[in-house]
Amino acid sequence: MASTVTSQTLQTLGEPLAQISLATVALVLLLVTYFILSFTELEALWKLSEVLNTYWSFCYACFLKPHSGDSSRSQQDALESFYSAQATIYDKTRHKLLHGREDMLGLVAAQLKNKAETAQMSTKPVWVDIGGGTGYNIEAMSAFLSVPEFFQKIYLVDLSPSLCEIAKARFVRLGWENVTVLCQDARSFCLPNHQHDSSDSGSFFSIGQSAYDTEDEVEAGSADLVTMSYSLSMIPEFYPVIDSISSLLSPNGIDYLEYKFGTILSANARNHFFGFRIPYYIWIGCSKDSRTSITRLVELDAAVTESPYISALDLQSRSTQTVRRSSSIDRRSKAYESAIINLTASLPLPAAWYQSHHWRVYYDDQLQKHKQFSDEYIYAFTWEDSRVDQRLLNIKSDDVILAITSAGDNILSYALEKPKRIHAVDLKSGTPPSTVREIPSQNHLLELKVAAFTSLGYSDVWKLFGDGQHESFRDLLINKLSPHMSSLAFQYWLSHSATFDIKSGGLYFTGGSRHALKLVQWLARLVGLRDDFRRLCTAGTLNEQREIWQKRVRRVLLSRLLSWTVIGNERWLWKALGVPSAQRDMIEQDYVKQDNPQSAGRSGAKSGQAIWEYVVNTLDPLVNNTLVSEDNHYYLLCLQGKYSRRCHPAYLTPKSHIKLSQPNAFDGLRIHTDELREVISRMTPETLTIAVLMDSMDWFTPGGPEAGEQVRAVNRALKSHGRVLLRSAGLTPWYIKTFEEEGFTAKRVGTRVPGTCIDRVNMYASAWICTKVALVPNEDARRQIRPAASS
């Protein structure tokens, strides 16, 4: 059978047509080879062959080569069997496969630099890289720090001789004499004692020996940084290694471990590799006993609860506060309660306690109420006029302010006035409106702004929050911002690093408010208003601005069809502008009363007309009375998606950057992610001087108990003659009567009438200052009063 096939093949090849075909194929292959060699540099061909050889060696070593070390039951033989054939190509193949190493190094370098700059380290740090392999991590660290100059000593510990030889050759080539490569089991590694005083007999420390194995107290080693990059899983019996590393670390040390330590930062990410989404995890921490003294805990807790008894700011005046001691001692924050629970169980504290700064107050991110908005904020910028706020409030250095966070712009404006304390509370209403829920990402945005002023120069701050775009945001986040952020905020912005991409439009085209900006941009493209918008943004006089507005822009933006179908849509109002149905009802009721004073009911036919008229009364006076290009950054942002150097919030001026970048600029800031009433209930009574509630009272259902409960809570927290600043979509909000019934006098300090502006935003119908004149009794006292009255 085989001879028959062979004879047929030879017969076919003997035919002239077959011979011509073979000759043609050979000629084509020859020509293709010739052109490739002619137009391709030999160096490129050599690189291609190297790449192919590298990945062939990798595939062979990982998937095809028998591992002889498995039978010897020696961990070193098993590792050497696996790594010896690929030691020379290890770095080339792992660069794409093992993501997160550079991010880890950037994060720990940022932490170390911050400690050095703030004098938290008195000597050069010592670094131990466990499972360091070829020394890639140590060389890669030079992108962030000067390795020979910054570190006193570096120890690379690995059990594979082949990888250690590559590492030794690397550091000889680099000329780094402070790096020592040790080929040994991490479980038996001892930190050499030549860096300690020779009389220090306790300077040796074995990683493999648990700190609980001996009766004698093990002297803490002086490693300031311990890294384990993709190596922990390669160590058998790794639990005692982890248990004992806490003894290896110095009190101010940083480590990259996943268990039994206090968390400073953590991040989950994915490596996109040949269509696969490979997860990886980065963790930066410290000894769980660091920064956990009871004295420190109560000092931090005091700043959250405004307790005069234990506040670090008021310790010198304890003798004058004896009247309040009994009530102050019992008031603890949720952060303090969680810390005590963890300490009792010998567990690390929540990550908030290990941060470089304590701006962000602990909250349980696993609670369902923190997940209602799909991890998205509503406001990328704030809609309250900070200039009017300052005029109405006249903030002083002894003021203690509580304010709704929003996008954080107002919080930064208050910080410029240097009050004693600012409590920023994230508060949003759900559906139904009386359901109060929090959006942690609003506070993440504020935290990002605070971290930026703390660590970045003015040009970077302007790019982030003036332009809303930054080409290197991810690098800034890892290398500069990370030491000044909470773990949850860092994870959020690492996952949303594309927010500041130029291609995506930038910061101000994110969040719920993006819908309003995108609608404006879409209309400009659809009807050809781009040039008109540009001219509005650069108009030099009010007359020029009015002319541009009246000629074409007004007809489009104030179109009844647009207002009735889009802007007046209840769902769009909520998603784009954060206007709940209760606030929309107030607008419609005011319109009905104005049109027919005898009727207060809602008319479906007049609903769209009410919203249209409200928008007209918002925009027309703005165009006639405020110059957008120079003095109304709120609407400049809506028109062009960014601020200009001539027109921007006060916190973005160079002078403001100087103030807000001072080391203690935000010492008095506390960021709460909780219900407003819950935050206030844990504060010492009569400690706040100002409460800025924005339009949050509009969100409550008229006649429901929630508004009264919140007003009473605010009353108890405010000092006598403390003030509440409110804005409302209604001319005379129904809850003003509630304030007056609960110990306040109410004064309307702004009213929007047709043709006039209440402020540069002009989006609210009225503004109010409610001043506390009487203390309302708490619920227990009320229950005691009622029976007495009835008897």
Side-chain angles (χ1 to χ4, degrees):
M1 184 69 174
S3 61
T4 303
V5 174
T6 303
S7 62
Q8 289 177 349
T9 302
L10 292 174
Q11 184 178 356
T12 302
L13 292 176
E15 295 178 0
L17 183 60
Q19 292 175 354
I20 293 173
S21 299
L22 286 173
T24 302
V25 171
L27 180 61
V28 170
L29 290 175
L30 180 63
L31 290 173
V32 169
T33 303
Y34 173 78
F35 279 106
I36 290 176
L37 294 175
S38 298
F39 294 98
T40 306
E41 296 182 1
L42 292 178
E43 184 179 354
L45 292 174
W46 178 253
K47 287 182 179 179
L48 177 62
S49 66
E50 277 191 336
V51 170
L52 294 175
N53 180 64
T54 295
Y55 282 97
W56 160 248
S57 300
F58 169 74
C59 293
Y60 172 73
C62 292
F63 307 115
L64 302 176
K65 178 182 177 294
H67 295 294
S68 58
D70 296 340
S71 59
S72 67
R73 296 188 178 182
S74 166
Q75 174 69 3
Q76 185 173 52
D77 289 345
L79 289 174
E80 188 63 7
S81 173
F82 182 72
Y83 287 118
S84 60
Q86 53 176 318
T88 57
I89 63 166
Y90 183 89
D91 292 339
K92 295 179 182 178
T93 54
R94 268 51 174 196
H95 181 70
K96 293 290 186 182
L97 186 62
L98 304 181
H99 272 214
R101 293 186 294 175
E102 288 80 5
D103 289 348
M104 177 198 75
L105 295 171
L107 289 170
V108 296
Q111 294 284 338
L112 289 171
K113 284 190 288 187
N114 181 60
K115 286 180 176 294
E117 291 168 359
T118 54
Q120 297 182 52
M121 291 191 303
S122 57
T123 59
K124 291 183 178 182
V126 174
W127 174 12
V128 178
D129 189 16
I130 299 175
T134 64
Y136 173 87
N137 285 349
I138 297 174
E139 182 176 2
M141 180 64 90
S142 62
F144 310 102
L145 295 169
S146 174
V147 175
E149 296 177 1
F150 189 85
F151 291 98
Q152 174 190 343
K153 195 71 178 176
I154 303 172
Y155 297 96
L156 185 155
V157 183
D158 200 282
L159 194 54
S160 169
S162 297
L163 297 182
C164 286
E165 288 303 317
I166 298 293
K168 290 176 181 178
R170 180 193 298 272
F171 299 122
V172 169
R173 170 177 58 82
L174 293 171
W176 292 355
E177 298 180 356
N178 62 332
V179 181
T180 299
V181 178
L182 301 172
C183 185
Q184 65 180 89
D185 194 331
R187 293 170 294 179
S188 61
F189 166 67
C190 295
L191 194 62
N193 72 338
H194 62 262
Q195 61 175 303
H196 300 282
D197 190 302
S198 59
S199 63
D200 185 1
S201 59
S203 61
F204 274 96
F205 176 75
S206 171
I207 283 186
Q209 176 186 11
S210 171
Y212 305 101
D213 289 344
T214 62
E215 295 182 0
D216 297 331
E217 181 180 358
V218 178
E219 180 78 16
S222 55
D224 300 277
L225 172 64
V226 176
T227 55
M228 302 181 73
S229 176
Y230 292 100
S231 60
L232 186 61
S233 59
M234 305 295 288
I235 303 174
E237 302 174 4
F238 58 81
Y239 292 107
V241 175
I242 296 173
D243 289 342
S244 59
I245 284 179
S246 60
S247 297
L248 173 64
L249 286 171
S250 63
N252 292 323
I254 304 171
D255 48 80
Y256 170 58
L257 300 171
E258 301 177 356
Y259 185 57
K260 282 196 148 185
F261 295 86
T263 297
I264 295 175
L265 291 175
S266 65
N268 288 288
R270 289 187 179 270
N271 173 20
H272 298 267
F273 185 73
F274 289 115
F276 296 96
R277 300 174 67 243
I278 306 172
Y280 64 91
Y281 179 64
I282 301 174
W283 184 88
I284 309 293
C286 61
S287 170
K288 70 178 182 180
D289 296 324
S290 175
R291 314 172 194 171
T292 62
S293 70
I294 294 298
T295 302
R296 180 63 174 155
L297 294 183
V298 296
E299 286 179 359
L300 295 174
D301 180 60
V304 177
T305 61
E306 290 299 324
S307 169
Y309 175 60
I310 55 178
S311 173
L313 298 176
D314 299 325
L315 285 177
Q316 301 301 321
S317 58
R318 283 185 183 180
S319 59
T320 64
Q321 303 293 339
T322 54
V323 175
R324 289 184 181 172
R325 284 191 179 186
S326 60
S327 64
S328 299
I329 293 174
D330 296 330
R331 294 188 179 271
R332 301 294 194 192
S333 66
K334 290 182 179 180
Y336 183 86
E337 292 174 354
S338 68
I340 295 301
I341 290 172
N342 285 22
L343 286 176
T344 303
S346 297
L347 294 173
L349 298 181
W353 292 103
Y354 297 103
Q355 310 304 311
S356 299
H357 308 279
H358 294 279
W359 303 319
R360 190 71 175 265
V361 178
Y362 162 81
Y363 72 98
D364 187 350
D365 64 304
Q366 297 304 309
L367 295 180
Q368 187 60 34
K369 66 180 181 179
H370 297 309
K371 303 177 181 180
Q372 298 294 332
F373 290 85
S374 302
D375 211 21
E376 181 184 50
Y377 44 82
I378 293 180
Y379 306 106
F381 53 97
T382 300
W383 279 105
E384 275 71 28
D385 192 334
S386 58
R387 182 191 297 168
V388 173
D389 280 5
Q390 176 55 26
R391 176 175 58 80
L392 293 174
L393 297 174
N394 191 23
I395 296 172
K396 304 295 184 182
S397 60
D398 58 347
D399 277 321
V400 179
I401 304 171
L402 181 141
I404 308 299
T405 300
S406 187
D409 300 354
N410 54 327
I411 304 298
L412 296 177
S413 296
Y414 302 152
L416 287 171
E417 305 304 322
K418 299 182 179 180
K420 177 182 177 181
R421 188 105 67 236
I422 302 173
H423 293 276
V425 184
D426 180 69
L427 174 75
K428 295 293 173 286
S429 176
T431 304
S434 59
T435 304
V436 179
R437 298 170 181 171
E438 304 86 45
I439 309 180
S441 49
Q442 290 287 174
N443 280 339
H444 295 336
L445 180 55
L446 171 58
E447 231 189 298
L448 177 67
K449 292 179 177 180
V450 171
F453 277 99
T454 303
S455 61
L456 302 180
Y458 179 72
S459 60
D460 283 325
V461 170
W462 175 262
K463 285 184 179 181
L464 289 173
F465 308 115
D467 294 332
Q469 301 172 343
H470 201 297
E471 68 281 2
S472 303
F473 172 71
R474 196 176 189 278
D475 290 339
L476 285 179
L477 179 66
I478 291 173
N479 300 323
K480 292 188 177 183
L481 296 169
S482 60
H484 310 285
M485 302 182 73
S486 68
S487 182
L488 291 172
F490 172 77
Q491 171 69 72
Y492 178 85
W493 288 112
L494 188 67
S495 303
H496 294 77
S497 57
T499 296
F500 294 90
D501 284 354
I502 297 175
K503 293 181 180 179
S504 66
L507 170 65
Y508 299 113
F509 287 92
T510 63
S513 54
R514 73 182 185 277
H515 298 294
L517 269 68
K518 287 186 175 181
L519 175 64
V520 172
Q521 300 293 327
W522 178 78
L523 287 172
R525 291 193 300 269
L526 181 67
V527 298
L529 288 178
R530 285 185 173 183
D531 288 340
D532 298 88
F533 282 2
R534 291 192 191 100
R535 291 168 60 204
L536 271 177
C537 293
T538 57
T541 64
L542 283 175
N543 285 335
E544 182 184 355
Q545 178 175 278
R546 293 167 188 152
E547 182 180 350
I548 299 168
W549 171 256
Q550 292 292 341
K551 188 174 182 180
R552 295 186 63 201
V553 178
R554 188 183 189 279
R555 286 182 296 167
V556 175
L557 295 186
L558 298 185
S559 162
R560 290 178 184 268
L561 178 63
L562 177 66
S563 181
W564 286 33
T565 57
V566 179
I567 297 175
N569 180 275
E570 188 169 333
R571 182 175 176 81
W572 191 87
L573 280 171
W574 170 242
K575 288 183 68 66
L577 300 176
V579 177
S581 56
Q583 196 168 44
R584 173 192 167 102
D585 290 344
M586 296 179 72
I587 295 172
E588 294 174 354
Q589 289 166 9
D590 274 353
Y591 174 78
V592 171
K593 290 178 182 178
Q594 177 185 341
D595 186 60
N596 182 6
Q598 302 302 317
S599 172
R602 176 174 178 174
S603 171
K606 294 183 178 180
S607 176
Q609 177 69 17
I611 299 299
W612 178 81
E613 186 169 300
Y614 197 88
V615 174
V616 169
N617 289 334
T618 297
L619 297 182
D620 269 344
L622 281 170
V623 174
N624 291 326
N625 295 285
T626 68
L627 191 58
V628 172
S629 64
E630 293 186 358
D631 195 37
N632 199 322
H633 58 269
Y634 303 98
Y635 291 92
L636 179 74
L637 181 67
C638 294
L639 291 173
Q640 65 179 23
K642 61 180 181 180
Y643 299 116
S644 72
R645 295 285 184 172
R646 294 170 58 192
C647 187
H648 50 260
Y651 75 87
L652 284 177
T653 64
K655 288 183 179 179
S656 296
H657 181 269
I658 293 173
K659 288 183 179 180
L660 295 178
S661 61
Q662 295 298 314
N664 59 349
F666 297 105
D667 283 356
L669 175 64
R670 294 298 180 269
I671 305 173
H672 304 259
T673 307
D674 212 337
E675 294 96 336
L676 180 63
R677 194 166 67 241
E678 181 68 23
V679 173
I680 293 175
S681 69
R682 291 175 178 269
M683 289 185 176
T684 301
E686 299 185 74
T687 51
L688 297 178
T689 60
I690 297 172
V692 183
L693 302 186
M694 296 185 174
D695 63 332
S696 64
M697 297 296 299
D698 281 4
W699 298 34
F700 289 116
T701 302
E706 297 86 2
E709 292 171 358
Q710 180 158 298
V711 172
R712 286 190 290 275
V714 172
N715 179 288
R716 288 192 293 274
L718 279 173
K719 288 184 176 182
S720 180
H721 296 95
R723 295 161 293 160
V724 179
L725 173 60
L726 300 164
R727 288 186 170 90
S728 176
L731 286 170
T732 307
W734 57 270
Y735 49 79
I736 292 299
K737 184 177 180 181
T738 305
F739 273 92
E740 292 173 336
E741 292 173 347
E742 300 293 350
F744 290 90
T745 59
K747 179 181 179 182
R748 184 159 48 194
V749 291
T751 304
R752 191 185 72 175
V753 295
T756 65
C757 292
I758 190 172
D759 53 32
R760 290 177 296 173
V761 176
N762 205 36
M763 195 171 289
Y764 300 103
S766 62
W768 298 77
I769 292 286
C770 296
T771 304
K772 176 180 173 179
V773 293
L775 175 66
V776 297
N778 58 31
E779 292 302 315
D780 292 336
R782 284 172 180 266
R783 282 192 289 268
Q784 294 173 4
I785 292 172
R786 290 188 190 110
S790 61
S791 63

